[in-house]
Amino acid sequence: MFRFIFSFAFFVVFAVVAAPANFDSAKTVASRIYAPEKQEFYCGCTIRWQAGKGIPDLKGCGYQIRKNGPRANRIEWEHVMPAQQFGSPLACWKKGGREQCGKTDVLFKQMEADLFNLKPAIGEVNGDRAHYRFGMLPAQAPQYGSCEVKVDFKSRLVEPRAEIRGDIARIHFYMADKYQLPLAKAQQQLFMAWHQQDPVDDTERKLQQRIAQQMGHANDFVTGKKVWQLNYKVSGFGLTKAKQTTQTAAVSALPSTTQASGQVLGNKRSKLYHLSHCSGYRQVSERNQQWFDTERQALNAGFKRAGNCSAEASIGAED
């Protein structure tokens, strides 16, 4: 009888600390999970936690502010797989982007609050990374002092330091598997290489265990129970059949001409927008850039397609 009561009590406690329901609660839980780590993700800077807020030791890790001092001096919670990547296939995103999905879509809230996909990051790097994909970049001058992360604003790619590339790969594998999200072939190949080059270490393994206690399941690409292979068949584990059907339909409906949303580039100064195949796409200065998911969004915002940009390869245009 005593054993039964104890087991029941344990189940109740476990249920109480189940996965967070939204991004705000996830950030609160994440600050407790990562407090023992005391290291920022992208640059490896030491973090001082104060009342649940993280303050990076920029001087101690040789970080140099690129542009945004206030954000550089605080820790923010970074979605390793960006919200745009897992949210853009959903109908709510097409109606109002992340804000609309955060208000109305249960599946999006679940993905946005998934603790396995959250990492503490210096706010400036988090902002600069935006929703850019990961990749390898040519050698370039340091942008953040001793911090090794590279951001290419023109190609919209980010190269992380070598010590976390495997972590990034295994997070993407997990997110794709759990939520039935597509990974382009090139992404799969890159992440499979990173997984081999940067295998799971004790720190990642212990952190995974703490997150699993909160989420109620593990990242099996960290535990080793699952191994990603090219064209891996995602399981959608933990999703209801209704959610699986909705997610599969949303992913299938993505335009075949694009592997990512946010590829319509507006020029805030000229009020013209460019598609990725157009000559002016890489000529818009950073300060004048405004990104849109679709041509329809650009048109609604008062932009016009550039005259030298044909409509033949329109990306993500809505009816």
Side-chain angles (χ1 to χ4, degrees):
M1 180 67 178
F2 175 78
R3 183 177 299 175
F4 172 78
I5 294 173
F6 177 82
S7 298
F8 179 76
F10 178 81
F11 173 79
V12 172
V13 171
F14 186 82
V16 170
V17 295
N22 55 56
F23 185 37
D24 286 338
S25 59
K27 290 186 286 187
T28 300
V29 175
S31 66
R32 296 198 298 267
I33 291 174
Y34 281 87
E37 297 302 317
K38 294 183 172 59
Q39 189 178 64
E40 182 271 345
F41 188 58
Y42 285 126
C43 302
C45 297
T46 300
I47 301 174
R48 176 168 58 89
W49 295 99
Q50 185 175 0
K53 304 292 184 181
I55 303 171
D57 179 9
L58 302 184
K59 184 177 180 180
C61 65
Y63 184 94
Q64 293 180 8
I65 297 170
R66 185 186 74 86
K67 187 175 181 179
N68 194 326
R71 288 190 73 174
N73 281 281
R74 69 181 187 230
I75 291 296
E76 298 177 354
W77 290 102
E78 157 81 331
H79 288 96
V80 178
M81 175 184 280
Q84 187 178 65
Q85 186 171 346
F86 60 73
S88 58
L90 301 175
C92 59
W93 194 276
K94 296 174 176 62
K95 294 178 181 178
R98 182 172 178 174
E99 183 178 359
Q100 177 70 15
C101 287
K103 290 179 180 178
T104 63
D105 194 280
V106 175
L107 177 58
F108 178 82
K109 291 179 182 180
Q110 182 182 354
M111 293 189 287
E112 189 182 34
D114 195 307
L115 294 167
F116 283 113
N117 191 39
L118 292 180
K119 290 291 183 181
I122 290 174
E124 181 179 43
V125 177
N126 181 33
D128 286 352
R129 187 266 164 124
H131 54 265
Y132 299 168
R133 301 296 177 105
F134 291 105
M136 299 301 294
L137 297 171
Q140 63 183 48
Q143 296 165 294
Y144 309 97
S146 297
C147 175
E148 297 178 21
V149 67
K150 301 176 185 177
V151 180
D152 188 321
F153 296 99
K154 289 186 177 181
S155 65
R156 309 178 78 211
L157 287 174
V158 175
E159 180 183 316
R161 59 192 176 104
E163 294 84 353
I164 62 171
R165 290 173 189 167
D167 304 57
I168 289 170
R170 290 179 283 274
I171 289 170
H172 278 77
F173 295 155
Y174 161 83
M175 290 292 290
D177 185 42
K178 179 170 177 57
Y179 300 108
Q180 296 182 318
L181 299 167
L183 291 179
K185 182 178 180 180
Q187 270 195 311
Q188 294 183 55
Q189 292 171 327
L190 175 69
F191 291 149
M192 288 166 63
W194 284 2
H195 169 67
Q196 295 295 327
Q197 296 162 7
D198 175 31
V200 178
D201 57 21
D202 287 340
T203 298
E204 185 182 0
R205 190 175 293 108
K206 291 176 181 177
L207 183 59
Q208 189 281 145
Q209 292 171 351
R210 292 205 300 272
I211 297 174
Q213 289 176 355
Q214 188 68 49
M215 292 292 296
H217 59 265
N219 178 348
D220 283 334
F221 295 98
V222 175
T223 67
K225 291 182 179 180
K226 293 182 178 180
V227 177
W228 189 279
Q229 297 177 339
L230 195 61
N231 299 320
Y232 177 95
K233 186 175 181 180
V234 296
S235 66
F237 74 92
L239 297 179
T240 65
K241 287 188 176 181
K243 286 181 180 177
Q244 286 184 358
T245 301
T246 300
Q247 184 72 333
T248 301
V251 171
S252 299
L254 284 172
S256 59
T257 53
T258 181
Q259 295 177 349
S261 58
Q263 297 207 9
V264 180
L265 174 57
N267 186 321
K268 290 186 286 188
R269 184 175 181 180
S270 67
K271 287 296 181 179
L272 298 176
Y273 69 83
H274 309 264
L275 306 179
S276 61
H277 68 284
C278 303
S279 59
Y281 185 77
R282 298 186 180 276
Q283 298 176 6
V284 182
S285 65
E286 181 184 344
R287 66 179 180 178
N288 289 327
Q289 291 178 0
Q290 182 168 341
W291 294 93
F292 301 97
D293 292 332
T294 64
E295 288 193 73
R296 177 61 59 193
Q297 287 186 5
L299 292 168
N300 290 342
F303 287 71
K304 295 181 179 180
R305 186 191 296 129
N308 62 351
C309 190
S310 70
E312 293 179 359
S314 296
I315 295 179
E318 296 177 340
D319 294 332

